[in-house]
Amino acid sequence: MGRKNLIGIVLSLAIFIGSFMLTGAAGAYFNLAAFLVVISGLTAAMLISYPVKHVQNAFVVAKNVYANGRTTAEEIVNTLLDLSVKSKVDGVLSLERSANKATSSFLKSGLCLLVDNYKEDEIRECLNAEMAFFNLRRQQSERFFQTLARTAPAFGVAGSVIGLIGLLMGINDTAVILKNIPVAFISTLYGLILSHLVFSPIAENINYSTRAELLNQKLVMEGIVAISKEQNSYKLERKLASFLSPAEREGKTETLRRITRKYVQRKRQPVELADMADPLGAPEEDGLEKATEAA
């Protein structure tokens, strides 16, 4: 979650909670009986609907989409351009080390397929299958929170019915009436708040995160396939730039040139050290730089 989002949430919730305080009876909005009716009903409904493991996984997914920062498409493009140049300079097998260091499991899978010399169709088939199952797993977690959002108001109404029944049972006792009226009204409030301020936004966030991650995975797949075809790095840059917004496309050619210079300079260093050790030796032609420029 971004810092601006976090600041906005804190300010909005402060105003929202403060609006309850303006009534002058803030304590009236906190009712343990109403809260227990809604929460216990939701918990029972979810355990009837889903296995405990699925419930745990759904909350883990929700935690991750908020806690983990999302990798931008621009960062992925820069990484793929770096891998493209590296594969031409050091060979495809050099990408095995990059695969071991990759933090993204999808990128790691793609690089492993590339190093193992899978064909283009096989790479697409494997990565598309991984994308499809990732989408299905995320949809299950999203549906879990959608179900919570849909069910919470119903248990709020159930709490209201319980409060009204208690009120009617003590119709001749003012103390009983005053005790049950808050349950009748506040349980509905709790159900609505949980539904529209907690569960529904979480489900929408999971959906948004899934769509963004699938776009990044599509970008990685196209880059891996292009590297496997030994596509020209500048053509790859043009292809991957189509995934970016016009503002993000600026400077990509300069980025590719900077990456190329980095690998060329790194490759030159052993040659320069060898020349210093044997000054009479004939300098070898730097075919690497020519190959990189041709790429």
Side-chain angles (χ1 to χ4, degrees):
M1 180 183 295
R3 184 178 179 182
K4 292 181 179 179
N5 286 71
L6 188 59
I7 293 173
I9 291 171
V10 171
L11 291 176
S12 300
L13 287 178
I15 296 172
F16 181 75
I17 295 173
S19 65
F20 289 85
M21 308 301 179
L22 295 177
T23 61
Y29 294 102
F30 300 97
N31 188 284
L32 181 60
F35 181 76
L36 290 177
V37 167
V38 176
I39 293 299
S40 60
L42 278 173
T43 302
M46 290 306 99
L47 293 178
I48 293 171
S49 303
Y50 300 101
V52 173
K53 186 176 181 180
H54 178 71
V55 175
Q56 293 174 338
N57 289 339
F59 280 101
V60 169
V61 170
K63 176 186 175 182
N64 290 338
V65 297
Y66 282 102
N68 297 340
R70 297 187 182 96
T71 304
T72 64
E74 186 176 8
E75 292 172 341
I76 293 175
V77 169
N78 291 341
T79 299
L80 291 172
L81 291 176
D82 186 278
L83 293 172
S84 174
V85 176
K86 183 177 182 180
S87 68
K88 288 186 172 2
V89 173
D90 298 331
V92 175
L93 292 179
S94 66
L95 300 182
E96 185 174 5
R97 182 178 300 176
S98 299
N100 294 331
K101 295 180 180 179
T103 56
S104 167
S105 60
F106 190 82
L107 176 60
K108 184 175 182 178
S109 298
L111 290 175
C112 288
L113 293 172
L114 189 60
V115 172
D116 292 341
N117 199 30
Y118 278 68
K119 304 301 181 183
E120 176 184 350
D121 292 342
E122 295 172 329
I123 293 175
R124 287 188 181 276
E125 182 180 356
C126 291
L127 295 183
N128 276 323
E130 187 169 341
M131 290 171 63
F133 286 110
F134 166 79
N135 189 27
L136 287 174
R137 290 193 300 271
R138 282 294 186 88
Q139 284 180 348
Q140 289 179 339
S141 298
E142 180 189 346
R143 182 176 177 82
F144 171 80
F145 285 101
Q146 286 176 340
T147 304
L148 283 176
R150 188 175 61 252
T151 309
F155 285 103
V157 174
S160 296
V161 174
I162 292 172
L164 291 174
I165 292 173
L167 186 152
L168 292 174
M169 293 296 291
I171 194 67
N172 295 323
D173 190 342
T174 305
V176 174
I177 294 175
L178 294 176
K179 180 181 178 181
N180 285 281
I181 284 179
V183 178
F185 289 100
I186 295 174
S187 58
T188 302
L189 177 64
Y190 287 166
L192 291 173
I193 290 176
L194 287 173
S195 174
H196 298 289
L197 191 59
V198 179
F199 300 131
S200 184
I202 291 176
E204 186 60 34
N205 195 316
I206 292 175
N207 179 271
Y208 171 78
S209 176
T210 302
R211 302 279 77 75
E213 185 64 26
L214 286 173
L215 179 62
N216 288 344
Q217 290 178 355
K218 176 70 174 176
L219 181 56
V220 169
M221 183 177 67
E222 293 300 328
I224 294 295
V225 168
I227 294 173
S228 71
K229 295 165 62 177
E230 298 185 359
Q231 192 173 48
N232 182 292
S233 297
Y234 287 97
K235 291 182 179 179
L236 175 61
E237 178 266 324
R238 296 283 295 180
K239 180 177 184 178
L240 297 181
S242 64
F243 286 83
L244 305 177
S245 64
E248 293 173 325
R249 296 176 192 178
E250 298 179 2
K252 279 289 163 282
T253 301
E254 182 58 32
T255 300
L256 180 57
R257 289 172 180 168
R258 185 172 64 252
I259 294 171
T260 304
R261 285 196 299 269
K262 178 183 72 173
Y263 281 104
V264 169
Q265 291 172 359
R266 184 183 300 174
K267 203 73 175 181
R268 279 178 174 174
Q269 288 177 357
V271 177
E272 292 174 354
L273 291 174
D275 290 343
M276 292 174 63
D278 184 13
L280 298 178
E284 298 181 1
E285 182 183 40
D286 193 354
L288 171 66
E289 183 175 0
K290 290 185 177 181
T292 306
E293 291 176 354

